[in-house]
Structures are given as C-alpha cells and as structure tokens.
C-alpha cells in the first residue's frame, strides 16, 4: 500500500532535495514510502530502505535511525543472501565488522563470537578459514591485522615462520621474513628488532642476489645507505671506498657513480694528456688514465743516447709496467725520430664472469610437442613433464668470478668489476644444499623450471590407471597423470597440470595449470574442461573448453571454445568447424567451417565478460557518484546548521566524514580498474582469424560486436578495420 503523503517540499518542510528524491523514487516504484519518510532518516539511509523494499526484503530489520547507511547496507545484503542477519544486526556492531561476519556466514563460518575484534582481524580469520589454516593462536596473542595477514600467507605456503616471529614486528617486517623464507634465504640474518623493515628489505634483496650482505649488515646504516652498498655490490664494484658510516647515502651514491664511471668510462676521445716531461733529447708523455706512455725523440739526439738511458728515464718517471722494450730498441736502431710512439701500455682490468645456472631438468619453454611433416602435432611424443626422485639433482649455480686485476704504466692497480650474480631460485618441492649452489628434489614428483623467472618447482603427482564412475572423482593438490581412459560423468580437479594418455568422454576437468589430452576428447555435446593455462589435445569434439592462455588441437568439431589467448588448429589438414570459437588474441586454422556449411561462430577481440565488467564498473561509478553527492550535501548541511565546536563532536558528522573518505577511495579504485580495462580492450582490437586453407560459407564472424557472414575464400585473414570486418589475402 503506497502512502498518499506528497513529497513536495512546503514551507518549513524538513525534507531536503536528496530526501525528496528518494521519496519520489519510492513512490514511482509503488513502494510504501511511509517506512522511511521520516525526519530521523538522512537521504542515504532512505536509499537503503528503498532498495530493500524494491528487493522484497523485510526492511523492518534495519529501518531504524540508529543504524547508519553502511550498517543498513550490510543487513540488506545479508537478507538478500539468506544468511542469519540476527548474528550481526545490532547498532553497536560497526558496518565493517558486520561485513566480515556476513561474508563468514555465507561460507559457513560464524565470526559473531569474535565481534569485539577489529574488522580487519575478522577478515584474516575468514580468509584463514577459506584456505584451511589456523591463525587462532596468533589472534589470541593479539597480533594486529597486518601481522596476521603475513602469518596467514606464510602458513598457506607451508612456511615455518613461527620461530622468527616477534610480537613487536610490524606487518611489513613479517612480510620481509616471509618473502625470505619463500626464497629459501637465511632470514635469521635480518629477522631482528635491530632492523627496520626497510633495512630488512635491503638485506633480503642482497641475499636474494647472492651478495655478501655482511658488508652492510650493520643496524647503524640507515636503509638508504644499505641500498647504495647493495647496488654497488650488484654492479660488481669494490665498495670499500664508501663502505663507511662517515658517508651519507648521498655521498655513497656520488662515490659509487664515480667508481662506476672509472671502471667503464676510461679516457674519452680527444681528452688531453695528463702530463709531458722533456728529458734531454726526448719527450715522455703519459695519458690521463695512465694506461699509455709515449716517446718522441729529437731528430738529432746526442751520440751517447742509448736504450738503457731511456729505460732509466722511464723508471725515474715511474713508468714501470707494460714497458715495450722491443719497441724502444727498434726506435733507437731504426732512428725513428721526431714521432710520437707508444712505448708502454697498461692492462685494463677484466670483468668477472657472470654467475649462471646449470639445469638438469627440462625447462618450461622446451616442452613443446613434436610437429609432423603436415604441420599437425604429435601429442603422443610430447614430453610435457619430467619425473624426478627425492634427492635428485635439479640445478647447480656457478657463482660469478671476481675478474682479473689490471695495472697502469705507473704500476697502479686496477680493480676489476666482479661478475653479476643471478638471483636464488624460488618455488617449492626442492632443497638448497649447504653449498648454497646445489638444488635437489625434496620429494618425488613432476619437475618444472623457468630460468627467466628464477622459478623451480617439484609438485606432487597422482598417477592413475584410469578414471571412471567406478573409481570415483579425483581432487588432488598437485598434478594428475592418467595412463588410461576417462569415462563419462566423472570429475577431475588438480591444482597443477592434468595429463591424460587415453580417450576422454563427457566429464568435468578443472586445473590450475595446463591440460594435455594425448588422444583428445569427445564430449558428445556435454562435458567441460577449464584450465588456468593451456588446453591441448589431438582433437576436441562436442565439448566446452575454457583456457586462461591457449587452446591447441589438430581438429575441432562442434565445440564451445573460449581462450584468453589464441586458438590454434595445427597442420595442413587442421579443421575448426561448428560451435563457437572465442579468442581474445587470434584464431589460426587451415580450414574454417566445412562443405556442409555447418554453422561456425567465430568471436574475436573484446568478449562479453570484459564488456559486462566494464558496464558493472560504469554502473557502480554512477552509484558511488550519486552517494558522494548525497553525502556531500548532508555534510554541507551540517556545516551550515552547526558551528565547528558542536558538529565536530557529533557522531553522525564524523560518520559523514569517514563515509565520504571511504567512497572517494572506492571511486579511485573504480577509475583505476576502468583504465586497465580500456587498455586491455585497446590491445584486443587488433585480433584476427588467420585461415591458411579454405574458408567455407556458413562461418559467422563477430569482432568487437561487429558481425559479418563469410563468403568462400582461400588463404585469407579476417580482421576488423574501422567499423567493418574485412577479408584480406595472406
């Protein structure tokens, strides 16, 4: 039943413009506006009640002035989700605590018993519940939310962090310890209250780069000084010239840059000589960097002039290294006078060899299937994974060498630049031996290596003969390898890769890595495969596939393919026909469609999910802007009605300030995400379909929402140009 009260403001009406707008919106929707057409409600509270009424909710649970609008929103969301809102529907519980309790109830976790704790702590308890780790003991010890977050992440990764925890450590300090443990570093070298988190970071980065951090592990150095010393070591410099507390970090940087210029710069072309000395009948000159000495003899020297006179003069001038005695003898014998000739040459320092890894397991980029003569892929022969035993050697690090010392013609020692060290390998499932160079498997399993990312991993493997309804479903933390067939109606889940040697029928396959089906799959119009990375197989027929990276096969018929990267149908007989093929980057095939003109839909570029997210962001931004406007008007109204000494003590005014700040932060995040989406969309707009053989009639292209029905053609590329789709010869 709708109210008959007019929402028009009359003389002395308490309603502001925003409140009138909310009442009018409710009346237009046929809602009972009497439930919120009250002086005690701000417009932003009215909105939450109106939205609840529009959603058919029992708004009496929260349509009370003592609830602020954020609390109302959390109760409204709980009612929509069907959770027990009585667990948190109390004006004494802040909205952010309400939110965590609501989200907990949604996943079967009752956090209401911890309602006195900070909302951020509740959030960590909820996340710990999801990842199945226990942080209760640290909550009891009153670790704050930032600390708990790092402890939780460490426990999720299986790290033993407890021995290094100190209650006084800030969250960022615990983060540095966690990152060090992840990289297998000697975190005890910096896990101390003597160091700030920034100092910890500099030591961690040094250890990660295999540097001698003992040269700056002094708490008296501030983090900027540590950084300069670390950078010097990374550059292979001798830091003894500025490794002193007497230098500020600015001084250290100046000296470091000067040393670096000396090592790599030398004397520039055209630079004047440092000195020239006239001795009797000859002139000796030395280059500014003392790397070369020159002699020029007068046209008619004294008859007593001998080579030993000259060498004696050179020694007198300090030229003792790199003297070209044979050249001096030749000059005198051949009377090569009145010409500037090189007679001594220094030896530049030789930079040390950079450190490098020697791997004994195959690297990720090397695991490519064999390509047959017709261009198709032999999935039977691809060595997708490499099994290792516990204790098996995986990699050896060969440290950088110090280089070779050089000298000047006056005997000055030129210190070499040490070779650059490589970072330590990160990952899991391996041990770094005491020599800090040898990596061995900590468990039997599947080894994966990516040298470019300094990542090494040995994951657990579940090896099965087959999977059918009789054997049951599979859910495994690691990789799953099935030597036989996978039957209809089963489910296989793995956090890593899934490799199936036999045939695959209509089933559910989900993995956090890649899927390889050596024989392919026929889902008969059912079944689903989802992978965070690639999905590859000999053929796919009548099945839905979603890949975070690439989909690849030799033949594909009547499938629904969705790839965040490319779809590649290999070989001179490769066919993509029927169903829907959707890719962000591009589609590559020999034949698209078939002679029977089977309906084949090709979608390229921007997909529906991205457009949906973009629309949701736009809608959310409009909502936030509207809320900010309403909050801002109420804020100005309070400033107009009350002097500072009164309004600053009002709880509702403080809530308004906090709400405006929160909404402005949300607006900034939305703007940033929208910019990221726009960049992604721009990158997608160049996507095309590349057909090496026959394009058949019956193929429909949709690129960035522009549709085009194909005409028969051969060896063409189909792309969108401006606002139309064009076909171009390859």
């Amino acid at each position: 039943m709708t109210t008959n009260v007019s929402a028009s403001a009359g003389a002395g009406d308490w309603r502001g413009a925003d409140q009138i707008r909310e009442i009018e919106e409710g009346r237009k929707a046929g809602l009972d506006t009497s439930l919120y057409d009250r002086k005690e409600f701000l417009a932003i509270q009215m909105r939450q009640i109106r939205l609840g009424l529009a959603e058919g909710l029992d708004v009496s649970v929260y349509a009370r002035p003592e609830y602020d609008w954020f609390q109302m929103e959390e109760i409204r969301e709980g009612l929509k989700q069907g959770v027990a809102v009585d667990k948190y529907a109390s004006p004494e519980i802040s909205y952010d605590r309400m939110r965590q309790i609501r989200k907990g109830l949604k996943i079967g976790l009752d956090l209401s018993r911890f309602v006195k704790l900070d909302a951020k702590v509740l959030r960590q308890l909820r996340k710990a519940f999801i990842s199945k780790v226990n942080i209760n003991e640290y909550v009891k010890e009153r670790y704050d939310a930032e600390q708990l977050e790092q402890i939780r992440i460490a426990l999720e990764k299986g790290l033993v962090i407890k021995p290094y925890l100190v209650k006084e450590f800030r969250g960022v300090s615990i983060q540095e310890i966690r990152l060090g443990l992840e990289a297998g570093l000697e975190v005890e070298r910096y896990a101390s209250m003597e160091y700030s988190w920034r100092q910890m970071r500099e030591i961690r980065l040094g250890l990660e780069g295999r540097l001698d951090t003992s040269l700056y592990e002094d708490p008296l150095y501030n983090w900027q000084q540590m950084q300069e010393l670390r950078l010097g070591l990374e550059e292979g410099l001798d830091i003894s010239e500025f490794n002193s507390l007497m230098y500020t970090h600015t001084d250290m940087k100046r000296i470091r840059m000067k040393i670096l210029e000396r090592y790599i710069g030398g004397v520039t072309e055209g630079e004047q000589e440092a000195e020239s000395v006239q001795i009797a009948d000859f002139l000796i000159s030395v280059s500014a960097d003392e790397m070369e000495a020159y002699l020029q003899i007068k046209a008619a020297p004294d008859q007593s002039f001998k080579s030993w006179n000259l060498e004696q003069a050179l020694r007198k001038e300090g030229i003792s290294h790199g003297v070209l005695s044979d050249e001096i003898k030749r000059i005198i014998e051949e009377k090569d006078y009145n010409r500037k000739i090189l007679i001594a040459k220094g030896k530049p320092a030789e930079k040390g060899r950079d450190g490098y890894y020697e791997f004994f397991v195959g690297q990720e980029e090397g695991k490519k299937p064999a390509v047959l003569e017709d261009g198709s892929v032999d999935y039977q022969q691809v060595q997708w994974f490499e099994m290792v035993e516990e204790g098996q050697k995986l990699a050896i690090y060969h440290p950088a060498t110090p280089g070779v010392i050089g000298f000047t013609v006056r005997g000055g020692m030129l210190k070499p630049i040490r070779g650059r060290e490589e970072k330590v390998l990160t990952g899991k499932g391996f041990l770094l031996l005491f020599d800090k160079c040898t990596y061995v498997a900590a468990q039997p399993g599947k080894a994966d290596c990516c040298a470019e990312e300094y990542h090494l991993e040995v994951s657990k493997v579940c090896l099965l003969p087959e999977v059918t309804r009789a054997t049951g479903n599979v859910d495994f933390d690691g990789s799953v390898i099935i030597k036989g067939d996978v039957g209809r109606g089963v489910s296989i889940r793995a956090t890593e890769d899934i490799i199936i040697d036999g045939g695959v029928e209509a089933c559910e396959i989900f993995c956090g890595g890649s899927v390889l089906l050596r024989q392919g799959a026929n889902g008969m119009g059912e079944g689903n495969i989802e992978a965070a990375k690639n999905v590859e197989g000999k053929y796919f027929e009548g099945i839905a596939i979603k890949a975070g990276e690439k989909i690849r096969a030799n033949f594909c018929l009547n499938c629904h393919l969705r790839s965040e990267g490319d779809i590649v149908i290999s070989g001179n007989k490769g066919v993509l026909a029927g169903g829907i093929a959707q890719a962000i980057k591009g589609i590559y095939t020999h034949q698209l469609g078939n002679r029977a003109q089977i309906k084949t839909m090709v979608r390229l570029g921007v997909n529906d999910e991205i457009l949906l997210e973009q629309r949701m962001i736009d809608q959310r931004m409009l909502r936030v802007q509207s809320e900010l406007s309403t909050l801002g008007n109420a804020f100005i109204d309070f400033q107009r009605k009350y002097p500072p000494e009164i309004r600053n003590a009002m709880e509702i005014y403080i809530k308004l300030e906090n709400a405006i700040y929160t909404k402005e932060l949300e607006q900034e995040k939305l703007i940033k995400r929208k910019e990221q989406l726009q960049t992604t969309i721009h990158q997608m707009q160049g996507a095309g379909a590349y057909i090496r053989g026959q394009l058949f009639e019956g193929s429909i292209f949709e690129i960035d929402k522009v549709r085009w029905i194909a005409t028969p053609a051969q060896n063409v590329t189909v792309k969108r140009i401006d606002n139309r789709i064009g076909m171009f010869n390859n």
Side-chain angles (χ1 to χ4, degrees):
M1 179 178 181
T2 60
T3 181
N4 293 319
V5 177
S6 172
S8 302
D13 197 329
W14 53 267
R15 300 177 184 88
D18 293 324
Q19 291 167 311
I20 291 172
R21 188 181 303 112
E22 292 300 327
I23 296 168
E24 291 288 357
E25 288 290 331
R27 291 183 61 193
K28 288 177 185 176
L31 305 177
D32 184 2
T33 58
S34 65
L35 292 172
Y36 63 87
D37 185 1
R38 294 164 55 185
K39 185 176 182 179
E40 295 86 354
F41 288 129
L42 296 172
I44 197 76
Q45 292 170 299
M46 289 182 171
R47 178 172 299 176
Q48 290 301 324
I49 299 171
R50 176 175 64 79
L51 291 173
L53 288 169
E55 292 160 345
L57 305 177
D58 180 10
V59 298
S60 64
V61 179
Y62 65 88
R64 294 158 52 187
E66 54 264 38
Y67 284 119
D68 66 37
W69 48 96
F70 283 140
Q71 290 173 310
M72 287 181 171
E73 184 176 35
E74 290 306 322
I75 297 171
R76 181 173 67 82
E77 288 295 328
L79 289 170
K80 281 170 60 178
Q81 294 166 2
V83 302
V85 296
D86 59 297
K87 295 280 187 180
Y88 63 87
S90 169
E92 287 73 38
I93 301 175
S94 63
Y95 81 91
D96 49 358
R97 288 185 176 90
M98 284 185 173
R99 179 171 299 168
Q100 296 307 320
I101 296 171
R102 173 177 63 79
K103 288 186 174 182
L105 290 169
K106 192 176 177 182
I107 59 173
L109 172 65
D110 185 1
L111 289 172
S112 60
R113 58 198 173 104
F114 301 109
V115 72
K116 299 294 184 183
L117 296 176
D118 182 80
K120 293 178 180 178
V121 173
L122 294 179
R123 183 171 185 267
Q124 294 307 316
L125 281 167
R126 179 173 61 80
K127 285 184 169 288
F129 177 82
I130 293 171
S131 56
K132 300 178 182 178
V133 297
N134 191 343
I135 61 170
N136 289 350
E137 65 172 295
Y138 304 104
V139 173
K140 289 178 183 177
E141 293 177 25
R142 297 188 178 276
Y143 280 86
D144 66 31
E146 287 185 357
Q147 294 170 311
L148 290 171
E149 181 177 23
Q150 297 306 319
I151 294 170
R152 173 182 61 79
I153 295 171
L155 294 175
E156 288 172 356
K157 293 178 178 289
L159 305 174
V160 183
I161 197 169
K162 189 172 183 178
Y164 306 100
L165 292 178
V166 176
K167 184 68 168 56
E168 289 72 27
F169 278 152
R170 291 177 56 195
V172 283
S173 295
I174 298 176
Q175 181 181 40
E176 290 303 320
I177 295 170
R178 174 179 67 79
L179 292 172
L181 288 171
E182 283 184 36
L185 307 178
E186 298 175 80
V187 296
E188 59 272 12
R189 297 182 68 163
Y190 62 84
S192 167
M193 286 298 298
E194 291 184 305
Y195 297 117
S196 70
W197 74 268
R198 287 188 174 92
Q199 290 173 308
M200 287 184 175
R201 181 175 184 272
E202 292 305 319
I203 298 173
R204 176 180 66 79
L205 290 174
L207 291 171
E208 204 172 83
R210 296 180 176 274
L211 306 178
D212 183 3
T213 58
S214 66
L215 296 173
Y216 62 87
E217 286 176 9
D218 187 338
L220 296 178
Y221 284 126
N222 62 40
W223 72 269
Q224 293 101 325
Q225 290 171 307
M226 286 185 171
Q227 184 180 63
E228 289 303 319
L229 294 169
R230 175 177 64 80
L231 291 173
L233 289 170
E234 283 184 357
E235 290 157 350
L237 306 180
D238 178 4
I239 65 171
S240 61
E241 291 187 40
F242 58 96
N243 186 10
S244 171
L245 288 165
M246 67 179 286
Y247 295 118
T248 66
H249 75 275
T250 305
D251 293 333
M252 287 181 171
K253 183 174 182 179
R254 176 178 50 79
I255 298 169
R256 178 172 65 82
M257 297 306 294
K258 188 175 180 180
I259 296 172
L260 194 60
E261 288 173 9
R262 187 168 73 230
Y263 279 167
I264 65 177
V267 181
T268 59
E269 186 178 350
E271 186 173 351
Q272 294 183 352
E273 297 168 348
E275 59 179 296
S276 296
V277 181
Q278 182 75 46
I279 303 176
D281 298 318
F282 50 88
L283 179 71
I284 296 174
S285 56
V286 181
S287 63
D289 60 0
E290 297 190 352
M291 293 301 289
E292 294 176 340
Y294 294 87
L295 170 69
Q296 185 175 351
I297 303 175
K298 289 183 179 180
D302 187 284
Q303 293 298 317
S304 62
F305 179 76
K306 303 291 183 186
S307 61
W308 65 268
N309 299 109
L310 180 54
E311 292 187 5
Q312 188 178 37
L314 291 174
R315 285 194 293 273
K316 186 177 179 181
E317 292 304 313
I319 301 171
S320 57
H321 286 63
V323 176
L324 306 176
S325 300
D326 290 343
E327 184 67 4
I328 293 172
K329 184 177 180 181
R330 184 198 64 78
I331 293 169
I332 294 174
E333 289 177 352
E334 297 179 6
K335 297 183 179 181
D336 190 358
Y337 302 156
N338 210 26
R339 187 166 69 90
K340 188 176 177 181
I341 301 170
L342 180 69
I343 57 166
K345 187 175 183 179
K347 179 186 176 184
E350 294 180 18
K351 181 181 180 296
R353 186 204 66 217
D354 292 341
Y356 66 95
Y357 282 99
E358 181 182 2
F359 292 100
F360 302 102
V361 291
Q363 297 186 39
E364 189 70 34
E365 57 270 21
K367 298 174 183 177
K368 295 180 179 179
V371 178
L372 303 176
E373 290 184 5
D374 64 356
S376 62
V377 174
D378 183 359
Y379 287 98
Q380 293 297 321
Q381 301 304 318
V382 58
Q383 184 63 34
W384 191 289
F385 59 92
E386 187 168 347
M387 297 295 293
V388 295
E389 299 295 328
E390 182 178 354
Q392 184 174 329
K393 190 184 296 183
L394 306 174
I396 289 181
Y397 180 69
H398 298 272
T401 58
V404 180
I405 294 172
F407 56 82
T408 68
V409 294
R410 285 196 166 117
M413 184 178 69
L414 300 177
K415 297 178 181 178
I417 297 179
R418 184 180 180 85
R420 184 178 288 271
E421 300 285 7
E422 296 280 14
K423 292 181 179 179
V424 297
L425 298 178
T426 60
K428 62 182 182 180
F430 63 82
L431 296 173
L432 180 58
L433 300 186
F434 291 111
D435 63 359
K436 301 301 179 185
C437 293
T438 306
Y439 295 81
V440 298
Q443 62 187 18
K446 181 173 70 71
D448 288 302
C449 173
C450 182
E452 291 180 358
E453 297 179 5
Y454 300 100
H455 188 80
L456 181 63
E457 187 170 311
V458 178
S459 57
K460 297 176 183 177
V461 173
C462 176
L463 186 62
L464 300 169
E466 64 178 4
V467 177
T468 64
R469 285 179 177 173
T471 62
N473 296 330
V474 178
D475 191 345
F476 187 69
D477 182 12
S479 295
V480 174
I481 301 172
I482 302 167
K483 305 304 290 183
D485 297 335
V486 173
R488 186 183 185 87
V490 298
S491 170
I492 303 171
R493 294 177 181 269
T495 57
E496 302 291 338
D497 296 340
I498 295 176
I499 300 101
I500 303 172
D501 291 347
V504 176
E505 297 180 359
C507 63
E508 300 286 332
I509 296 176
F510 304 93
C511 80
S514 296
V515 172
L516 170 63
L517 309 181
R518 297 189 191 275
Q519 292 291 341
N522 187 345
M524 301 292 289
E526 299 179 12
N528 186 36
I529 300 173
E530 290 188 22
K533 295 182 180 178
N534 302 316
V535 177
E536 298 193 39
K538 186 176 182 180
Y539 75 93
F540 299 124
E541 185 173 349
I543 196 165
I545 299 174
K546 183 179 179 181
E549 294 179 6
K550 179 184 292 185
I551 296 174
R552 184 170 179 172
N554 294 335
F555 177 87
C556 195
L557 178 65
N558 290 325
C559 292
H560 190 166
L561 310 177
R562 295 178 60 191
S563 168
E564 297 300 311
D566 301 320
I567 295 175
V568 179
I569 309 301
S570 306
N572 298 333
K573 297 180 181 179
V575 177
L576 174 60
I580 300 172
Q582 180 175 322
I584 287 178
K585 293 184 178 179
I587 292 177
Y588 303 81
T589 184
H590 181 78
Q591 177 181 312
L592 185 65
N594 63 12
R595 296 185 186 280
Q597 298 185 18
I598 185 172
K599 184 179 178 181
T600 307
M601 171 68 75
V602 173
R603 290 177 179 160
L604 290 163
V606 183
N607 59 38
D608 291 336
E609 288 182 2
I610 290 176
L611 292 175
L612 177 61
E613 185 180 358
Q614 191 179 45
R615 285 196 297 272
M616 290 178 67
I617 287 174
D618 288 338
Q619 292 170 3
R620 184 61 186 165
M621 285 179 69
L622 287 173
R623 180 179 167 187
V624 170
Q625 287 168 1
S626 175
E627 290 172 347
L628 272 173
S629 174
T630 303
L631 290 167
N633 290 338
F635 190 72
I636 292 169
D637 192 46
F638 270 85
Q639 289 181 320
R640 179 175 55 81
K641 288 181 178 178
Y642 305 101
E645 61 273 15
I646 294 177
R647 67 174 183 253
N648 289 340
M650 297 172 70
E651 184 180 358
I652 191 70
Y653 182 76
I654 295 170
K655 284 186 175 183
L656 277 169
E657 281 188 313
N658 292 337
I660 290 171
Y661 174 73
T662 301
K663 289 296 175 185
E664 285 176 343
L665 284 180
E666 184 179 357
Q667 189 178 50
E668 288 177 12
K669 289 180 180 178
L670 288 169
I671 291 170
K672 185 176 181 180
R673 178 55 185 158
K674 185 173 182 179
E675 290 173 350
Q676 291 172 342
L677 278 178
Q678 288 172 339
T679 300
T680 302
I681 289 170
H682 179 73
Q683 293 171 343
M684 294 173 180
Q685 289 172 344
Y690 305 88
I691 300 107
R692 301 183 304 278
Q694 183 72 42
L695 170 61
F696 286 94
E697 191 173 353
S699 302
I700 302 170
F701 289 82
E702 191 177 277
I703 306 178
D704 301 333
K705 297 303 177 183
V706 176
R707 181 170 284 205
W708 176 75
I709 299 175
T711 55
Q714 272 195 318
N715 196 22
V716 293
T717 295
V718 179
K719 298 182 73 172
R720 177 178 170 177
I721 304 296
D722 296 325
N723 291 321
R724 67 182 183 85
I725 294 176
M727 186 166 58
F728 309 91
N729 292 328
N730 289 337

